[in-house]
Amino acid sequence: MSVQTYTGCCHCGAVAFEVDADLEAGTLRCNCSICTKTRAWLILVPSERFRLLTGADRLADYRFGAARIRHRFCTVCGVKTHGETVDGSHVAVSVVCLDGLAPERLAALPVRYVDGAHDRWDAAPAVTAYL
Ligand SMILES: [Zn+2]
């Protein structure tokens, strides 16, 4: 596949966005504390490929630890739609917030596991099956 434009939104629809992404190039699952608790499944794109369409006034901004990522979530329904690096360079978009992807396509997407719990972004954790 190639880069395509996808739409996506939170559960209630207050927050909607577009993202230009090549999903078949790979998705991310991470074992860090917040990715584990939110069961995050992400695609990382340069920020110019992400466009917030609605809901800027509904998004909360959560940061923790070194605060390198602004974790954004809808204050109406609580769904975490994306995160932004604080340097503004990249956006990590929730794959499951994208519209219209068939289960078969989701199941076939390549997944790269990263050991965010130990700041090892180039290596998979020892155990991945629960992520
Ligand atoms: Zn919402």
Side-chain angles (χ1 to χ4, degrees):
M1 298 295 262
S2 56
V3 174
Q4 297 179 28
T5 300
Y6 298 90
T7 58
C9 62
C10 64
H11 189 263
C12 73
V15 176
F17 60 85
E18 284 182 341
V19 60
D20 306 323
D22 180 357
L23 299 182
E24 277 68 24
T27 63
L28 290 173
R29 285 199 189 265
C30 172
N31 67 345
C32 82
S33 57
I34 193 164
C35 284
T36 300
K37 284 188 180 287
T38 60
R39 300 197 58 76
W41 185 17
L42 303 168
I43 49 168
L44 189 66
V45 298
S47 55
E48 61 268 22
R49 291 190 181 181
F50 178 86
R51 296 172 294 281
L52 188 66
L53 300 178
T54 63
D57 58 336
R58 300 293 173 87
L59 280 169
D61 182 349
Y62 175 65
R63 303 185 205 194
F64 69 98
R68 287 175 297 203
I69 299 176
R70 302 172 67 196
H71 299 272
R72 312 301 304 274
F73 64 94
C74 175
T75 55
V76 180
C77 68
V79 167
K80 185 180 170 189
T81 50
H82 65 287
E84 303 160 4
T85 57
V86 291
D87 66 3
S89 65
H90 288 80
V91 177
V93 181
S94 172
V95 172
V96 292
C97 287
L98 300 178
D99 298 326
L101 297 180
E104 295 79 4
R105 179 141 183 236
L106 288 168
L109 292 177
V111 175
R112 185 164 69 88
Y113 294 93
V114 296
D115 189 6
H118 300 98
D119 263 339
R120 296 171 61 230
W121 307 101
D122 58 344
V127 180
T128 60
Y130 71 102
L131 296 173

Short mmCIF file of all heavy atoms in Angstrom, two decimals, residues 10-14 74 77, ligand 1:
data_model
loop_
_atom_site.label_atom_id
_atom_site.label_comp_id
_atom_site.label_asym_id
_atom_site.label_seq_id
_atom_site.Cartn_x
_atom_site.Cartn_y
_atom_site.Cartn_z
N CYS A 10 -12.91 10.36 17.99
CA CYS A 10 -13.10 9.75 19.30
C CYS A 10 -14.45 9.02 19.30
O CYS A 10 -15.13 8.95 18.27
CB CYS A 10 -13.04 10.82 20.38
SG CYS A 10 -14.38 12.03 20.27
N HIS A 11 -14.87 8.49 20.43
CA HIS A 11 -16.12 7.72 20.46
C HIS A 11 -17.35 8.60 20.27
O HIS A 11 -18.27 8.24 19.53
CB HIS A 11 -16.23 6.96 21.79
CG HIS A 11 -17.37 6.00 21.81
ND1 HIS A 11 -18.60 6.31 22.37
CD2 HIS A 11 -17.47 4.75 21.33
CE1 HIS A 11 -19.39 5.27 22.23
NE2 HIS A 11 -18.74 4.30 21.60
N CYS A 12 -17.38 9.78 20.90
CA CYS A 12 -18.58 10.63 20.82
C CYS A 12 -18.59 11.48 19.56
O CYS A 12 -19.63 12.05 19.22
CB CYS A 12 -18.69 11.50 22.06
SG CYS A 12 -17.52 12.86 22.14
N GLY A 13 -17.46 11.60 18.88
CA GLY A 13 -17.40 12.37 17.65
C GLY A 13 -17.02 13.83 17.84
O GLY A 13 -16.90 14.56 16.86
N ALA A 14 -16.83 14.26 19.07
CA ALA A 14 -16.45 15.66 19.30
C ALA A 14 -15.10 15.98 18.69
O ALA A 14 -14.87 17.08 18.18
CB ALA A 14 -16.44 15.97 20.81
N CYS A 74 -10.29 13.06 24.51
CA CYS A 74 -11.56 13.80 24.47
C CYS A 74 -12.12 13.91 25.88
O CYS A 74 -12.28 12.90 26.57
CB CYS A 74 -12.53 13.07 23.55
SG CYS A 74 -14.18 13.81 23.56
N CYS A 77 -15.87 11.96 25.98
CA CYS A 77 -15.99 10.49 26.02
C CYS A 77 -14.75 9.79 26.57
O CYS A 77 -14.79 8.59 26.85
CB CYS A 77 -16.31 9.94 24.63
SG CYS A 77 -14.97 10.12 23.43
ZN ZN B 1 -15.30 12.16 22.44
#
